[in-house]
Amino acid sequence: MVELLVDLTLFFMLVTTAIAITYSRHLFGVVMMAGVFSLLSAMLLVSLDAVDVAFTEAAVGAGISSVLMLSTLTLTARIEKPSTRSPLIPLLVVTATGAAIIYGTLDMPSFGDPNSPAQLGAAAQYLANSPADMHIPNVVTVVLASYRGFDTLGEAAVVFTAGVGVLLLLSGLRRRRRRGDTDEKETS
Amino acid sequence: MRHHLILRVVTKALIGPIILFALYVQFHGDFSPGGGFQAGVIMAVAFILYGVIFGLNAAQSVFPTWLVHKLMALGVLIYAYTGVATLFLGYDFLDYGAFDPHHPAHGQHWGILAVEFGVLVTVTGVMMAIYYAFAERRPRISDKDW
Amino acid sequence: MFELDFILGHMNYWLFTVLMMIGLYNVVAKGNLIKKVVGLNLFQAAVFMFYISIGKVTGGTAPIFPTDMKIDPDVVYSNPLPHVLILTAIVVGIATTSLALALIVRIREEFDTIEEDEILEIETEMVRKENQACGDVMGGAT
């Protein structure tokens, strides 16, 4: 019961933050609230027993993500211009999508059901075998690095590729820009 | 940020513990929450904090750009070559039992340590590279506008 | 069908769907590209929580054994598999987000705006001019 209460409180804080993000036009505030959202979701993840994920979300979402967004703001703009389009069609789209998803969840097993398909597949074997196979307490690390090592190699490659993409987009073309606008140099 | 004395002093005191914490998260990841991904991000945060407070040039003289670019690729290579090493030892790709045939569990420890180190190096490298790439651009908004 | 047990058991999915839809609304309705990326991040975080909530077991605890590996068979552990998938997804997510931000920076340098409507306007103008130039070369009506 207490857990449910904690979850609900955190959830309503998340929704409030998300709505505030939607309404605010000051992008600096939006970025800060996105950081708050990350921290709140990290707390919710702890209550869902995903401590490793919560740790990552807090470090990435509130740490790196905010820094990158802020450095993007310094390079672009800090106020969002008011939209001229009516929000009616997006609202319709969002409601329809949400209704479809909720309709899909009606068939899903209940929250916390120990006999749901997700609990009985490979995960049960990982939990049962990892003490004998590895002698490592943290099952998440074991699955990440050993049982599903190939997956993680792919993830590392994706992170690397994204890094290369950013470098190609931002670092490679510096010389071409400098030639064009020398007048701005004095203001910076 | 030359004028923020408090920020500079606090940053200097914090950077050491942050790096230490990253290493703790990395090498204690087998026993508690943590691992290469988190440690990489925290490690990068230490240097990014230094860069934000003391300026990009200071950060780049500590952690040069060319090194960051090399680290990005190096981490993936460490990971991949761990798998290749197990192949050459006659086991499956990324089957760490190869590192200690008499005690497969010990071999697993070594293997996990190696690949987590690879992940740490890649993630640190990529996060630093992304930060440098963004920070190196000349800002369009001057400090006064904030 | 809709008795209390069912509602309590499925509420987590619905709540996270609401969060997802707020994120999606930001992506669809907002013209500002940074706002779109933030909306995408909200959506992403909501999907992560949705996914993690599938792995939760009632009365379970985090999937970390005692350090001495003396495992009490009565203790229930939550499903570690979603944790692994989402853990890596978060880091990949920030890497791809930064790619999106880099694109936004380049767009701003090229078009001098990050509002979708203005970019579209500039692009239509460019296409129109190009078409006119092509038409002139071909000797078409002006």
Side-chain angles (χ1 to χ4, degrees), chain A residues 1-180:
Chain A
M1 199 63 215
V2 178
E3 213 177 311
L4 184 72
L5 211 66
V6 170
D7 285 1
L8 277 180
T9 316
L10 282 173
F11 171 76
F12 281 111
M13 287 162 88
L14 279 169
V15 170
T16 319
T17 320
I19 290 176
I21 288 174
T22 311
Y23 274 101
S24 173
R25 291 203 293 110
H26 284 264
L27 293 175
F28 182 78
V30 167
V31 170
M32 284 298 127
M33 279 187 285
V36 170
F37 186 90
S38 281
L39 282 179
L40 285 172
S41 66
M43 285 158 81
L44 193 53
L45 288 169
V46 170
S47 117
L48 292 172
D49 290 346
V51 278
D52 280 88
V53 185
F55 193 173
T56 321
E57 178 72 41
V60 168
I64 301 269
S65 179
S66 306
V67 172
L68 291 180
M69 294 255 184
L70 285 182
S71 29
T72 313
L73 288 194
T74 60
L75 294 170
T76 52
R78 69 192 178 91
I79 302 281
E80 181 196 4
K81 287 183 184 143
S83 180
T84 47
R85 286 172 297 177
S86 107
L88 206 67
I89 296 173
L91 267 180
L92 209 70
V93 169
V94 164
T95 321
T97 318
I101 292 177
I102 286 176
Y103 177 69
T105 63
L106 293 182
D107 287 341
M108 285 180 71
S110 285
F111 177 66
D113 182 4
N115 295 318
S116 71
Q119 255 63 264
L120 298 177
Q125 291 197 345
Y126 292 149
L127 274 173
N129 295 343
S130 80
D133 285 355
M134 318 270 174
H135 297 296
I136 290 176
N138 190 348
V139 188
V140 176
T141 303
V142 170
V143 179
L144 180 90
S146 185
Y147 286 126
R148 292 189 165 235
F150 203 72
D151 261 20
T152 313
L153 176 59
E155 308 273 11
V158 171
V159 172
F160 170 70
T161 314
V164 171
V166 172
L167 289 184
L168 285 175
L169 279 168
L170 289 185
S171 299
L173 298 158
R174 224 179 317 152
R175 193 181 292 160
R176 211 188 73 186
R177 261 198 73 239
R178 281 218 182 119
R179 213 189 306 144

Side-chain angles (χ1 to χ4, degrees), chain C residues 44-95:
Chain C
Q44 185 178 278
V47 172
F48 291 163
M49 286 185 278
F50 187 99
Y51 209 104
I52 293 289
S53 77
I54 294 174
K56 166 82 176 159
V57 178
T58 311
T61 179
I64 298 177
F65 298 131
T67 319
D68 54 6
M69 297 303 284
K70 291 199 181 84
I71 298 156
D72 185 352
D74 294 334
V75 176
V76 183
Y77 292 101
S78 284
N79 190 343
L81 196 50
H83 301 186
V84 174
L85 303 179
I86 298 310
L87 168 62
T88 50
I90 290 176
V91 179
V92 171
I94 178 67

Side-chain angles (χ1 to χ4, degrees), chain C residues 112-129:
Chain C
D112 217 36
T113 175
I114 53 167
E115 303 290 334
E116 202 183 35
D117 299 343
E118 292 171 19
I119 294 169
L120 263 177
E121 235 165 66
I122 296 170
E123 277 214 309
T124 2
E125 182 67 13
M126 275 163 64
V127 170
R128 202 183 58 79
K129 272 192 185 143

Side-chain angles (χ1 to χ4, degrees), chain A residues 28 51-53 55-56 59-60 63-64 67-68 70-78 132-139 141-142 144-153 155-157 159-164 166-167 169-174 177-178 181 184-185 187-188, chain B residues 21 25 28-42 44-45 48 52 65 69 72-76 79-80 93-94 96 104-106 108-109 111-112 115-116 118-119 122-123 126-127 129-142 144-146:
Chain A
F28 182 78
V51 278
D52 280 88
V53 185
F55 193 173
T56 321
V60 168
I64 301 269
V67 172
L68 291 180
L70 285 182
S71 29
T72 313
L73 288 194
T74 60
L75 294 170
T76 52
R78 69 192 178 91
D133 285 355
M134 318 270 174
H135 297 296
I136 290 176
N138 190 348
V139 188
T141 303
V142 170
L144 180 90
S146 185
Y147 286 126
R148 292 189 165 235
F150 203 72
D151 261 20
T152 313
L153 176 59
E155 308 273 11
V159 172
F160 170 70
T161 314
V164 171
V166 172
L167 289 184
L169 279 168
L170 289 185
S171 299
L173 298 158
R174 224 179 317 152
R177 261 198 73 239
R178 281 218 182 119
D181 33 43
E184 277 183 43
K185 215 168 250 173
T187 54
S188 62
Chain B
F21 182 58
V25 169
H28 208 260
D30 293 355
F31 305 99
S32 60
F37 285 101
Q38 296 93 328
V41 171
I42 295 170
V45 162
I48 290 175
V52 168
T65 315
H69 293 176
M72 278 167 64
L74 183 69
V76 181
Y79 201 132
F93 189 66
L94 291 174
Y96 313 129
H106 289 185
Q108 294 281 355
H109 284 211
I112 289 175
V115 298
E116 290 273 16
V119 171
T122 301
V123 173
V126 169
M127 292 303 155
I130 291 171
Y131 168 68
Y132 282 166
F134 276 97
E136 270 173 353
R137 296 243 136 189
R138 204 145 29 77
R140 293 298 193 92
I141 301 175
S142 66
K144 284 188 296 270
D145 286 347
W146 288 96

